[in-house]
Amino acid sequence: MPVPVPRQRAIPAVECGQAQTVPQAGRPFPEGPAGHAKAPVDRADSPVGTTPANLTLLVIEDDPGGSPIVPEMLDSAGQPIRIRTARNLTEAGRLLTDDVHCILLDLALPAPGRSADSDDELATLKHVLKIAPRHAVLALTASGDTERGTEAVRVGAQDYLFRDELDGRLLSRAIRYAVERKRSDTAERRLTESRLRAQENRRLERGLLPTPLLDGSPLRFAARYRPGRSRALLGGDFYDTVRTPDGTVHAMIGDVCGHGPDEAALGVELRIAWRALTLAGLCGDELLSTLQQVLEHERSDDEIFATLCTVDIAPDGRRAGLCLAGHPSPLIARPGRPAQLLPYENNGPALGLLPHARWPRMQVELGAAWSLMLYTDGLIEGHIGEGKERLGQDGMVELVRRRLAEGLTGEELLRATVNEVRDLNGGELTDDVAVLLLDRVG
C-alpha cells in the first residue's frame, strides 16, 4: 500500500504570482490548487494511483442571481466533469448519490436550523461532513479568508478555494486532488483501525492464556505454546495446572480439532470449565463426563471433538492418576532411567465422539524425582525432512532423551525441543503446539 505523503499546505500559483497565463475561454489559469497532496492509495471503486473516470461534482451554493460559479472543467482524461447543483442542504441530500466523487460547498450557506448570523461559521460544513462521510469536500470561501479556509480543512474538508479565483483548470485539479486525498485518508484510517483491532485481539488472546495456580507446591512448572494460525497467539490447543487445598496438583492438556478462532474459543471454554470443576472437587471419569457435556453444548458443529489428557499428582508427589481421552500419553523422565511414555492401554475416546462414554483412571508410580511432559499432537505430527515421514511419538521420545542428556531442563528443554521439531519439519509447524512440563526434584 503506498504511504501517504505528509500534509503540506502548498501556496497556489495565483497567490504567489507565479501562475502561467494559458488562454482558455479568454481567462488566465493558475498552475494548481492549494492543498495537501497525498499519494493515491487503493480503493475498491478505482485503481491504485488513478482518479475515478467520469468525475461528478456536487455544488452546494445559493446563488440568487442564478449565475453559475463553476466554469466548464475537464478531468485528467480530457472528459467533461459532470456537475450537479444544489441550492440548499435539503436538495444536496437528494442529489448525494454514490456516483458523486466530490462536493464543492459554499461556507456562507446557512446550516439547517441555524440562522445566517450563527456563531458557528462552519456549521454548514460540519453538517455536510456528517451526511457525506465518504465523499471528498472542497470548501469555498471569500477571497483572502485564509483563516476560515484553514479551519475548514482542520474540521475535515480536503482543501479550500477562494470564490473569486475559480477557473476551470484550478478547480478541476482541486477536485482530482481532493478525491485522491480522501481515498488516502480513508485507507489510512482503515489501516489504523485494523492495527488497533489486531492489538486488541492480541491483548485479549494473551489474557486468555492460563496462569498456573500452584501456590504452595514444590513442583516446578514450564510451558511452551505455538499456535498454528498465522499472526495468532491462541489456537485450539489448551492447558492448565492447579493445586487443590488438599495438596494435589492437577494438570491438563487438550486439543480441539481444527485451527480457527472458533476452535480457540472452544478450547478456552473447556480450559476454564476444567479449572472450575477441578477446584470443585471433580476428578477422573466424572470430570471428563461433565466436560463432554460442556463441549456438546458449546460446539458449533456435531463433528467437532477434543482430545484431553489429565493428571492428578498426589500431595507427596510420588504417584499420580492418569486419564486419556483420545490424547497422546505423557512422557516421564527419571534420573538414571531413559525417558519413556506412560501407559496408554486404557485410553478412552475423545470428548464429543461417543455419548455416555467412560474414561478409566490409571494409577502410575512416579518416584522421588521426575519430569512429566504433557504435549499435543502438533509436537509429533511434524515431518522429518522433505519426505512424508512424521516424527511420531518414538522420534519425540528420542529427541527429548538427547536434550536431557545435554543437561537441559524446564523452559530450556521445551524451547530446544519445539525448535528442533520445527527444524526437522523444514519450517513452521502447521498444527498448534502446546507442551507442559512439571518437575519434582528429589
Side-chain angles (χ1 to χ4, degrees), residues 108-168:
L109 192 69
R114 291 179 179 267
S115 62
D117 58 350
S118 172
D119 293 337
D120 190 354
E121 296 182 342
L122 298 178
T124 303
L125 173 62
K126 294 175 181 177
H127 180 83
V128 170
L129 293 174
K130 183 177 180 180
I131 65 174
R134 297 182 291 111
H135 293 77
V137 177
L138 289 171
L140 189 63
T141 187
S143 179
D145 194 357
T146 304
E147 183 176 350
R148 191 178 187 185
T150 303
E151 183 67 11
V153 173
R154 188 192 66 80
V155 169
Q158 274 59 59
D159 204 350
Y160 67 88
L161 298 168
F162 297 137
R163 185 179 293 105
D164 59 352
E165 294 179 356
L166 284 183
D167 56 61

Side-chain angles (χ1 to χ4, degrees), residues 58-69 83-96 103-112 124 128:
L58 175 60
V59 181
I60 308 176
E61 195 265 348
D62 183 15
D63 183 9
S67 58
I69 64 169
I83 299 175
R84 297 178 185 173
T85 303
R87 292 172 298 179
N88 51 54
L89 296 182
T90 302
E91 288 186 10
R94 293 196 298 265
L95 297 175
L96 191 61
I103 298 172
L104 179 62
L105 172 67
D106 186 356
L107 295 181
L109 192 69
T124 303
V128 170

